[in-house]
């Protein structure tokens, strides 16, 4: 009986903790894009674009990609592997205005 309760609770804990991977990567990429914009007045300058996208987060929980134009961007972290079970937050997004988004059943405030 204890195992039937403990294992699902632990799995939900792991899913919740892994969300940090997505938020960390989105914030890091956004910071690099903002530094680029400060120097060049565009987000997509070839001298300072974010290279290597899409990337996989360090714990193999999210695939991170971005759509970057001169005046805006949207960075998206899509769950992969075991993280696809995260129906509460799902996919994370962040744009140039700092607007955060999620595709799951929880609110942005609950996930971010």
């Amino acid at each position: 009986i204890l195992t039937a309760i403990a294992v699902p609770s632990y799995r939900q804990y792991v899913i919740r903790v892994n969300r940090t991977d997505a938020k960390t990567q989105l914030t890091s990429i956004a910071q690099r894009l903002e530094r680029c914009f400060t120097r060049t007045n565009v987000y997509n300058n070839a001298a300072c674009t974010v290279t290597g996208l899409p990337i996989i987060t360090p714990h193999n929980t999210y695939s991170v990609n971005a759509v970057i134009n001169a005046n805006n961007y949207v960075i998206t972290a899509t769950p992969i592997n075991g993280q696809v079970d995260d129906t509460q937050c799902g996919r994370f997004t962040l744009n140039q205005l700092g607007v955060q988004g999620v595709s799951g059943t929880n609110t942005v405030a609950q996930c971010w």
Side-chain angles (χ1 to χ4, degrees):
I1 294 173
L2 183 59
T3 302
I5 296 169
V7 171
S9 294
Y10 176 74
R11 180 70 187 124
Q12 287 303 313
Y13 170 77
V14 169
I15 285 173
R16 193 172 67 247
V17 168
N18 284 339
R19 293 175 189 153
T20 305
D21 269 358
K23 295 182 279 188
T24 300
Q25 288 299 318
L26 293 179
T27 303
S28 174
I29 292 169
Q31 288 173 347
R32 286 187 279 168
L33 289 169
E34 292 301 331
R35 282 193 299 273
C36 177
F37 191 84
T38 299
R39 288 191 308 256
T40 65
N41 209 31
V42 293
Y43 290 112
N44 62 350
N45 186 291
C48 56
T49 57
V50 178
T51 58
L53 292 176
I55 61 168
I56 303 299
T57 57
H59 296 105
N60 295 316
T61 52
Y62 289 89
S63 174
V64 180
N65 208 347
V67 175
I68 305 168
N69 297 307
N71 297 314
N72 55 52
Y73 62 82
V74 176
I75 313 165
T76 305
T78 304
I80 59 173
N81 299 324
Q83 199 65 20
V84 296
D85 295 335
D86 185 5
T87 58
Q88 294 177 336
C89 293
R91 187 175 53 249
F92 285 82
T93 59
L94 182 63
N95 71 15
Q96 79 284 352
L97 299 173
V99 176
Q100 303 163 333
V102 294
S103 66
T105 57
N106 280 358
T107 66
V108 171
Q110 290 170 315
C111 293
W112 277 85

